[in-house]
Amino acid sequence: LSYQKIHPRLTKRYFVASALLEAIHWPLVVFIWVKAAASMISVFTSKMDDTLVHLVWKLRDVGLTLLFAWVLVRFIQLLEEQILLGHLARKRPDATTVQAAGKLLRVCIIIIVILFILPLLGINISGIVAFGGGSAIILGIGAQQIFANYFGGLVIYADRNFKVGDWISSPDKAIEGQVED
């Protein structure tokens, strides 16, 4: 009820606070229900097996971490929308830059959350990190063309020759189309 009263007032002037409040709303509702369920379960923990109690607490920690990640990802998405609408800057920013930064931040948050959740589940991440390093070397050798295309795309992006919505045609390759993303 208080969300319905506060949110319209914040939306008019305070776009960041409004985005944060909107990002927190549904995860907070889920948190309240999970907390209520956890308190009901805690009544019965004295009669349960220790391994089951330990599993319930692990799941609670994983759930809280996922709720926090949900808030962060949603906040970045809403902030990205506010920036694209021009509410947070005097001049309209480049849509491609804002979208790329938003995607990069969301992917980083997801990777960090996964690295936080794995130890909560009892999985040692040092082996995963070592395997990832070795795999990166093998992928680097095997996927040189993919990486060349990726860095070529970064160079095109850095030069800012094209932006979302431009029509591009290449007569020598018989390729044409509109930049979508």
Side-chain angles (χ1 to χ4, degrees):
L1 184 65
S2 61
Y3 170 78
Q4 294 168 348
K5 291 181 181 179
I6 295 172
H7 191 260
R9 292 179 187 171
L10 287 176
T11 305
K12 294 177 184 173
R13 290 189 70 191
Y14 305 105
F15 299 108
V16 175
S18 172
L20 184 61
L21 184 65
E22 192 172 334
I24 289 173
H25 178 71
W26 282 110
L28 185 61
V29 169
V30 171
F31 171 76
I32 291 169
W33 280 100
V34 168
K35 193 66 174 168
S39 66
M40 289 176 65
I41 290 173
S42 68
V43 171
F44 300 107
T45 56
S46 62
K47 299 173 186 165
M48 289 200 288
D49 186 26
D50 286 342
T51 56
L52 186 60
V53 171
H54 190 64
L55 177 67
V56 168
W57 293 123
K58 276 185 179 183
L59 289 176
R60 183 203 63 173
D61 292 342
V62 168
L64 291 175
T65 306
L66 289 174
L67 284 174
F68 184 68
W70 185 12
V71 168
L72 290 176
V73 167
R74 183 78 177 126
F75 177 67
I76 290 170
Q77 182 182 10
L78 292 169
L79 202 61
E80 179 183 330
E81 290 172 7
Q82 293 295 327
I83 291 171
L84 288 174
L85 290 173
H87 291 156
L88 301 175
R90 293 182 194 268
K91 68 176 196 167
R92 190 158 268 225
D94 181 35
T96 307
T97 305
V98 173
Q99 290 171 350
K103 287 178 185 176
L104 183 65
L105 284 173
R106 286 191 295 269
V107 166
C108 288
I109 287 173
I110 290 169
I111 290 171
I112 290 169
V113 165
I114 289 171
L115 290 175
F116 270 111
I117 287 176
L118 289 176
L120 289 174
L121 296 174
I123 299 171
N124 189 358
I125 62 171
S126 61
I128 294 172
V129 172
F131 178 73
S135 299
I137 292 171
I138 294 170
L139 282 175
I141 292 169
Q144 289 178 351
Q145 189 64 35
I146 294 170
F147 289 125
N149 289 339
Y150 176 74
F151 287 113
L154 285 178
V155 169
I156 290 172
Y157 174 71
D159 287 343
R160 300 203 189 267
N161 292 330
F162 310 109
K163 62 181 181 199
V164 174
D166 286 350
W167 183 264
I168 300 172
S169 65
S170 175
D172 57 333
K173 304 259 184 181
I175 298 172
E176 62 181 68
Q178 185 174 9
V179 178
E180 293 179 358
D181 195 19

